[in-house]
Amino acid sequence: MSGTESPKRIAVVPAYNEAPTVAAVLERLHPLVDELVIVDDGSTDGTRGAIEDWLPGHDRARLLAFDQNRGMSAAYYAAFTDLTNRLGRDELSAGDLVFTVDADGQHELEAFERLHAMMVAQDLDALLVRRDLSTYPWHKRLGNWLVSAWASLWAGRRLQDVESGYRVFRLGPLADALRYYRGYKYSETVEVAVVLCRLGYRLRNDELVAVPLYRSRTSLTDAAIDLGAIPLAAARVWTRRRAVQPAT
Ligand SMILES: Nc1nc2c(ncn2[C@@H]2O[C@H](COP(=O)(O)OP(=O)(O)OP(=O)(O)O)[C@@H](O)[C@H]2O)c(=O)[nH]1
Ligand SMILES: [Mg+2]
């Protein structure tokens, strides 16, 4: 895939009950991108209102909103499917860059330009930021190490922080990967990583970025779901790859 032409920058921000932080994150992110897609699904704390108050005057941003909460993976699936459909209509290009950024302020936007430059200079298909988890409690770090090690086994290569939601994808590979996973709860991050690796895309997961603040809402159950989702994602690529590949 060529990385030489100037790609569009699109950010996808999933937001669930992030009223205190979401507007500040969007305000900071908006000047960095050509397009901003926010997905609020069924927040109960005023997140929707905070986004709607922020939207006027930010014409490159749009909101996808669900009335019932469907989980982070469903939010990404909706946004990525929308982008994939626009790729199919030639409104976007396979080389365009899709950034994913959390709405809680945990993703250091200082790194944004550096991540873009790495994608282009190294002609990467995906860059999953490795978060500096040194401020996290030991059990979170251990859990992250275990899930990443398990994912590495199934991906066929070492992944350092497979649970990271701070990522950059080329739209073409992302649209391709989307044919092999949907995600449940938080599993989107681990599934897309394993699928992209199994499909042979060029991916990095070793670029370390600081996390400005610690906050955690994920549980042991979420980690268990991810552990189960990883081999299933790899198996889907093995069993369905031939079936979904266009005939040559
Ligand atoms: N649209 C949507 N977004 C969600 C949902 N759950 C979480 N998010 C968002 O997804 C992003 C990541 O969620 P977090 O709960 O911070 O998870 P994390 O940072 O990956 O992991 P922890 O640090 O362990 O909590 C944040 O922007 C959340 O607002 C959801 O059900 N729907
Ligand atoms: Mg977070």
Side-chain angles (χ1 to χ4, degrees):
M1 174 151 311
S2 167
T4 50
E5 68 275 2
S6 184
K8 227 183 209 166
R9 302 209 287 205
I10 302 159
V12 174
V13 179
Y16 177 63
N17 288 354
E18 305 286 12
T21 52
V22 66
V25 170
L26 299 177
E27 185 66 19
R28 185 78 213 291
L29 190 54
H30 190 258
L32 301 176
V33 296
D34 300 297
E35 210 179 296
L36 184 44
V37 183
I38 310 134
V39 192
D40 165 56
D41 61 318
S43 290
T44 53
D45 73 338
T47 295
R48 176 89 63 96
I51 298 167
E52 283 170 349
D53 287 348
W54 175 83
L55 276 174
H58 299 97
D59 48 4
R60 297 193 304 281
R62 68 201 161 91
L63 172 65
L64 301 180
F66 311 130
D67 290 331
Q68 296 285 326
N69 180 249
R70 303 188 201 170
M72 189 192 79
S73 294
Y76 276 129
Y77 191 79
F80 294 165
T81 301
D82 178 80
L83 298 178
T84 299
N85 291 340
R86 290 169 57 206
L87 175 64
R89 296 196 297 268
D90 286 334
E91 293 167 18
L92 296 172
S93 304
D96 286 343
L97 296 173
V98 180
F99 291 74
T100 65
V101 177
D102 283 1
D104 58 7
Q106 285 192 299
H107 293 164
E108 181 52 85
L109 295 178
E110 291 282 320
F112 209 82
E113 298 298 341
R114 183 169 103 234
L115 302 178
H116 181 162
M118 279 181 69
M119 286 292 289
V120 173
Q122 300 178 28
D123 201 14
L124 298 175
D125 296 310
L127 201 174
L128 319 179
V129 163
R130 180 183 188 183
R131 297 163 300 167
D132 179 354
L133 302 180
S134 54
T135 57
Y136 280 48
W138 69 268
H139 67 277
K140 274 288 188 188
R141 293 210 302 270
L142 176 66
N144 181 267
W145 184 87
L146 280 171
V147 175
S148 295
W150 181 238
S152 303
L153 209 67
W154 291 93
R157 50 153 295 176
R158 185 77 181 99
L159 294 167
Q160 283 86 0
D161 179 12
V162 77
E163 294 174 309
S164 174
Y166 196 9
R167 303 164 299 176
V168 196
F169 303 99
R170 294 277 183 184
L171 179 55
L174 179 62
D176 188 21
L178 208 61
R179 302 190 293 173
Y180 299 90
Y181 80 97
R182 238 189 135 104
Y184 175 64
K185 297 265 210 167
Y186 285 91
S187 77
E188 189 275 339
T189 56
V190 300
E191 292 198 55
V192 71
V194 169
V195 166
L196 284 168
C197 290
R198 294 271 43 135
L199 291 173
Y201 286 111
R202 287 170 56 82
L203 175 149
R204 284 189 67 162
N205 187 206
D206 59 348
E207 181 64 12
L208 201 64
V209 172
V211 179
L213 62 121
Y214 172 70
R215 183 209 70 166
S216 183
R217 293 198 307 203
T218 53
S219 64
L220 261 182
T221 312
D222 296 316
I225 291 168
D226 287 2
L227 289 174
I230 286 165
L232 292 175
R236 256 178 260 125
V237 177
W238 286 321
T239 57
R240 290 172 35 195
R241 184 164 194 186
R242 192 186 296 268
V244 299
Q245 255 178 352
T248 48

